[in-house]
Amino acid sequence: MERRRLLQAGAGFTLASVAGQFLFPAEASAEAADRAGASGTSDPCSGPTIAMYGVASLTAAIVGMTVLGDKAYVVARGQNPPVLGEIDLPSKTLTRAVRLNRGEGGWATTVSGGHVYAGTYPFPDIYRFDPATGQVALIGTVGPSGGFVWCLTTAPDGTVYAGTSPRGEVWEYKPSTGTLRNLGVAFAGQQYVRAIAADDRFVYAGTLPSGYVVAYDRTTGVKTNITPTPYGGAAAIIARDGRVIAALTKYLVDMAPDGSDAKVIATPAGERLLDAMTMTADGTLYCVGRPTGTVYRRDGDTLVPVAAPTPGDEHRALVPLDATTLLGAAGSGRLWWLNLESKQSEIVELIDAGLSGPDPVQSMAYGSRGVVHVGGHFSVTTHRTTTRGTRSSRRTSVAGEPKQLQVVGSRLYAAMYPSTELLELDPDRGRVRSLGFIDHDQQRPTDMAHVRDQDLLLVASAPGVGLLKGALTSLDRRRRTITVYKDVITDQSVMSLALDDRRGRRIAYLAGDTWGGGSVPPTRPSATIAAFDLTRREVLWEVTPIEGYASLQHVAVSDGVLYGVYKRLAGAWFAMDLATRTVLQTGRLPSYGEISVHNGHVFASVFGGSVYRLGPDLTEAQFMLGGLGDGWYNPPQLAWERYSPHAWGVAGRDLARLRLDPRCPAPGQARRPLPDTRVLEGLLAN
């Protein structure tokens, strides 16, 4: 097998390293010399194991916004701990920024009694900020670690209410007494209270994944489901003038507080949901659609488009500042002022205003000659690096989170969450082109690969919350057509895909997850691997590598062996012979992440900041590198340089070039011996 791999490498190769089969073709000699030999020595283990290149991705993304007087208060996303930013509305400038105690962001904000309240994640804390003193106080924690405070509202008497996940509860805080009280689960089986509103008598909770609206009597605590029928997950609720108006995925439902007299308005074509709503003093309702970012005005039973100040953006809040001005907060980190009469708008970029900070990395791809692309919240940053540690960077805005990146030629492709849009980027010019949407109830792209001989981009995906059926999507780059194979692994998300690297094979191996989009009971006991024939476009076979393990995270194929790592049971890994479909080896990593194959070696990069080698021919995982920290938002990836034993990743939240040469010892370990080069020379000669 080793001899065949070397012979397939072809003539005209320059031997740059021996053990580990790292070969440098002649056309890449310039990069090889610059990147692998920059230390000025032939020793492959010289030079830094980790070379740092500064912040990988900057963000000013936000998840919450509220207004108090002439100030807007926004909560940053991804910055740890979260930043609460104060924006002076008349001057449109950032006037103050304070840190909360812990967490990564805060979707929920409200105002009561001259104070600003914020609810955070992944620690579901509620904080109170006093603008007069600049002090932040922790009110309490309203759920387990890993939970969210999704929404906050203030009743007319100043009582603050919160909606949470994963237990789907409503909490009450009375500033007058300092009392924090759990009002209980909104609706059995609903893990999210995603929207909330209150009037004099009731607090109304909107749930996910099904869109129930539940009214809690604020005095007795008695709960009543007032939804005529669950129309879909809740996104926003308003309670005013004796009416309750709920944005439930594809519908706007306007009803009496007891659920009677319901009027149902369908969202405009092209919108998946209405993600922010408000009502002006004269009772006119305005809302924003996703994914277009269009502002709509309700006119009877119709939603009339007004303007799109930030097209394609998600929205966190809408606030009427006066009779003719709306203030909008876009998730990408933009505030906009819309004049309702002229339809003209003004935008402030919070990253320019000074709210930016290091972003947890979503995805990464390597181009060539030191070009590294990094996906962050609402952006892709292209770094041009040198071995001297210098770089230049260009940030391109995109609508959402680029969960997967893939370089093909001079173009970069991104698969977006939550829209499932597929984008083609020209990083040199900062241009972005939409190739269409996966749709088909999908929400989270999980993996991407390029099939060279067919020029196809394959995308694996998971469905939305409350759904089980994932998909494999094929994008034909030449024809610009998208084909979606939904439920290709029955009742499972498609978490990963691996292409067979043997000649003549056109098979994609798909890894499943029985949990689907979450918040729904699995129908299958174990995650499976399915072999999908790319020529016949059908599943050839399906197998369960390890019984009882519910969620695969990632797979890769090398020399007829499929390697996989599980999310549930976290860190369990296996190697399976594809010819016999028998498991050859199993083991356990400290956590889960992504697997990659490079120059005949199989690597796993996992949460916790470690890299291991899984094969070939290992009986247990071999530790390669640690101490990288937790700078990844998604499972950690390795973006390999094509012709060297170096990969790009992150150390903390800094871009880092990692030496992952199997010949070189991990920190604290003895050096591995180098084999005789005559062995390789003899193979090439024969």
Side-chain angles (χ1 to χ4, degrees), residues 112-113 115 117 128 139 154 157-160 173-179:
S112 178
H115 295 133
Y117 291 82
R128 180 179 63 220
I139 299 300
T154 303
D157 65 356
T159 303
V160 174
Y173 175 69
K174 289 186 174 294
S176 59
T177 63
T179 304

Side-chain angles (χ1 to χ4, degrees), residues 337-412:
W337 288 253
L338 173 64
N339 186 298
L340 295 172
E341 294 178 343
S342 68
K343 310 299 189 294
Q344 298 300 306
S345 58
E346 184 176 355
I347 298 172
V348 168
E349 297 276 1
L350 295 177
I351 198 167
D352 297 329
L355 195 71
S356 63
D359 198 7
V361 171
Q362 298 273 347
S363 52
M364 188 175 291
Y366 183 76
S368 63
R369 295 186 178 275
V371 176
V372 189
H373 309 282
V374 180
H377 286 95
F378 303 95
S379 71
V380 174
T381 302
T382 298
H383 302 278
R384 287 171 170 78
T385 69
T386 73
T387 53
R388 299 174 182 85
T390 60
R391 65 170 187 169
S392 61
S393 303
R394 179 169 187 162
R395 187 175 186 270
T396 303
S397 295
V398 292
E401 301 172 20
K403 292 297 185 185
Q404 298 295 322
L405 296 176
Q406 181 77 34
V407 175
V408 182
S410 63
R411 293 293 182 263
L412 177 68

Side-chain angles (χ1 to χ4, degrees), residues 129-165:
F129 172 69
D130 185 347
T133 65
Q135 298 300 306
V136 174
L138 174 64
I139 299 300
T141 301
V142 293
S145 177
F148 282 59
V149 181
W150 283 107
C151 47
L152 288 171
T153 194
T154 303
D157 65 356
T159 303
V160 174
Y161 291 94
T164 70
S165 73

